[in-house]
Amino acid sequence: MQSFNLKIGLVIVAGLFTVPRSVKSMECATTARPVSANTTGALSSALDSYVDSLAAAGLSGAVLVARNDTVLDARGFGYANIEKCIRNSDATLFDIGSIVKSFTAVGIAQQIEKGRLKETDPVSRFFKDVPSDKAGITVGQLLTHTSGLQSFHDTAGDFEVMSRAEALRRIFSDSLRFAPGTKEAYSNSGYTLLGMILENVTGVGLQTYFRNSIFAPSGIKEGWFWGEDRMPEDRVARGYVANDEKGNPAKWPLTWAGIGASGIVMDVRDLFRFAKAIDNGVLISRATDQSMQRFPFRKWAEGWEVSQTPYGKLVMKGGASEFGFTGQLRRYVDRGVTVVFLLNSRRNDKDYPHVEVGPALADVVFANLH
């Protein structure tokens, strides 16, 4: 019955993702090496079928499945660069979008553990001349998207040239969507503000803090920030929407339009290392990890989206951009299972394929995990 349901699921997923394939991508398909699995067995075979159906439907990306500290399977599918016929692999670097917010939340949690700040601290503790309607917004409200701040503070997209001072001015001059602490609504601006708070508390730039206090202890080998000169560009996936190339994260400028909320490039293995560093108490204590999973309203916890699934408690963060990149880091904390997938293609401007791929991939994994 599981095998039958899996086949039905693959047919449905393939139907959902059918998009016209470009002439160039069809040319690549005749010359590029096939996707190879890292392991054998039921899970590997099921993932073969699943990712092949996604690739055939025009999606591209990479996926990793692990149990406890062991990677069970990791592979790429589709193309990182259609123009050069470069296929995705588990070493391909993707824009991870809003998954960056989990890094920012962990950084804040580290400073809470050190006693340098508290969840109840108001933003007025960290900044001068905060407007009265925002002075009482707390660190905890910023973390759980309950601050009432607007979703964005840019007017020209993610790459708008913006200084830290200008970003702060815009965030504080925007109107609130609701009284702080009364509702939840996703706010990129809130996480940019958290990035600034982390800088204020530690006295170092956010990128330096991430590298020294999160990347290094996690064993992350290649965490990059948009536009860094040293980034290995030949391994960076381009973003595609309906097979049209929309961007190269190696060339994107990193500004305070999104710092703290976005701007990191990474592969699936390093995202898994980040997850395990949390699970194993390397970055923060297990008690702190548990406290970060509490949510005041519907789903938003501190840096994570938390829900109950048929496979137990899911602690997840997803990300998406208008440039073709989407993905999710999924921690099934009751089962010790981690699923990471990063995509670099979308069907159209309004498409968010990670929303469909995440649950479908979980079905494939847990039906074949023995």
Side-chain angles (χ1 to χ4, degrees):
M1 182 60 71
Q2 284 184 338
S3 175
F4 176 77
N5 289 338
L6 176 58
K7 290 177 182 178
I8 294 296
L10 292 175
V11 171
I12 292 172
V13 169
L16 286 171
F17 289 111
T18 300
V19 296
R21 300 185 69 185
S22 68
V23 172
K24 184 62 182 177
S25 65
M26 288 188 286
E27 290 175 359
C28 289
T30 65
T31 59
R33 71 184 189 280
V35 174
S36 59
N38 291 20
T39 60
T40 59
L43 177 61
S44 181
S45 178
L47 285 173
D48 277 342
S49 298
Y50 182 70
V51 301
D52 284 351
S53 74
L54 296 182
L59 279 187
S60 53
V63 61
L64 176 147
V65 179
R67 180 159 50 190
N68 299 322
D69 294 338
T70 302
V71 174
L72 303 177
D73 203 293
R75 86 264 306 280
F77 57 96
Y79 295 93
N81 187 325
I82 293 176
E83 184 62 30
K84 295 183 178 180
C85 292
I86 299 174
R87 290 183 68 90
N88 282 318
S89 75
D90 57 352
T92 299
L93 299 166
F94 297 83
D95 172 35
I96 67 170
S98 286
I99 298 174
V100 173
K101 292 182 178 68
S102 295
F103 287 78
T104 301
V106 166
I108 292 290
Q110 289 175 330
Q111 297 310 306
I112 291 174
E113 287 189 335
K114 292 177 185 295
R116 293 176 177 169
L117 54 80
K118 302 187 293 292
E119 291 180 8
T120 55
D121 283 341
V123 296
S124 57
R125 179 193 158 189
F126 308 101
F127 306 102
K128 297 179 180 179
D129 303 321
V130 181
S132 59
D133 63 333
K134 302 176 183 70
I137 292 173
T138 67
V139 169
Q141 289 166 351
L142 293 173
L143 287 166
T144 56
H145 299 283
T146 57
S147 67
L149 292 176
Q150 297 292 331
S151 181
F152 300 98
H153 52 278
D154 64 81
T155 57
D158 295 341
F159 312 137
E160 183 176 354
V161 177
M162 192 182 304
S163 67
R164 188 183 193 274
E166 175 60 14
L168 187 61
R169 186 194 67 77
R170 292 191 188 190
I171 291 170
F172 283 154
S173 31
D174 274 343
S175 61
L176 289 176
R177 288 184 281 183
F178 49 81
T182 62
K183 299 179 183 179
E184 68 175 8
Y186 197 80
S187 176
N188 291 277
S189 296
Y191 270 78
T192 293
L193 204 58
L194 285 168
M196 294 180 188
I197 290 172
L198 199 48
E199 287 192 341
N200 289 356
V201 169
T202 62
V204 299
L206 195 61
Q207 289 116 293
T208 299
Y209 184 85
F210 278 178
R211 282 211 160 95
N212 293 342
S213 299
I214 299 180
F215 292 2
S218 298
I220 289 173
K221 301 179 185 302
E222 298 209 55
W224 302 93
F225 297 89
W226 290 351
E228 286 193 305
D229 292 338
R230 296 182 298 113
M231 195 185 307
E233 191 176 348
D234 60 333
R235 287 178 41 219
V236 178
R238 275 51 169 176
Y240 295 92
V241 178
N243 286 313
D244 293 329
E245 184 174 331
K246 294 296 183 181
N248 175 4
K251 302 297 186 184
W252 292 348
L254 182 65
T255 87
W256 279 98
I259 290 176
S262 61
I264 290 179
V265 179
M266 195 171 284
D267 65 33
V268 290
R269 287 187 179 271
D270 274 338
L271 266 181
F272 168 65
R273 292 183 179 103
F274 171 62
K276 294 318 297 178
I278 297 171
D279 291 342
N280 293 334
V282 173
L283 295 178
I284 52 177
S285 71
R286 290 186 175 87
T288 294
D289 178 32
Q290 288 290 321
S291 71
M292 291 177 70
Q293 296 173 26
R294 296 196 299 263
F295 49 98
F297 288 98
R298 190 170 64 90
K299 64 178 182 179
W300 291 114
E302 296 186 359
W304 303 99
E305 178 182 346
V306 179
S307 62
Q308 289 294 330
T309 76
Y311 312 112
K313 186 178 182 181
L314 172 61
V315 180
M316 180 190 79
K317 187 70 190 82
S321 81
E322 61 192 284
F323 305 103
F325 291 96
T326 63
Q328 289 179 348
L329 169 56
R330 302 172 72 91
R331 300 165 57 208
Y332 291 91
V333 293
D334 296 337
R335 306 282 292 272
V337 172
T338 306
V339 178
V340 184
F341 69 93
L342 297 169
L343 307 176
N344 64 309
S345 60
R346 293 167 53 179
R347 291 167 291 190
N348 55 60
D349 289 337
K350 299 184 183 301
D351 179 37
Y352 295 95
H354 64 307
V355 175
E356 297 162 339
V357 170
L361 184 55
D363 289 344
V364 172
V365 169
F366 284 100
N368 293 277
L369 198 60
H370 304 295

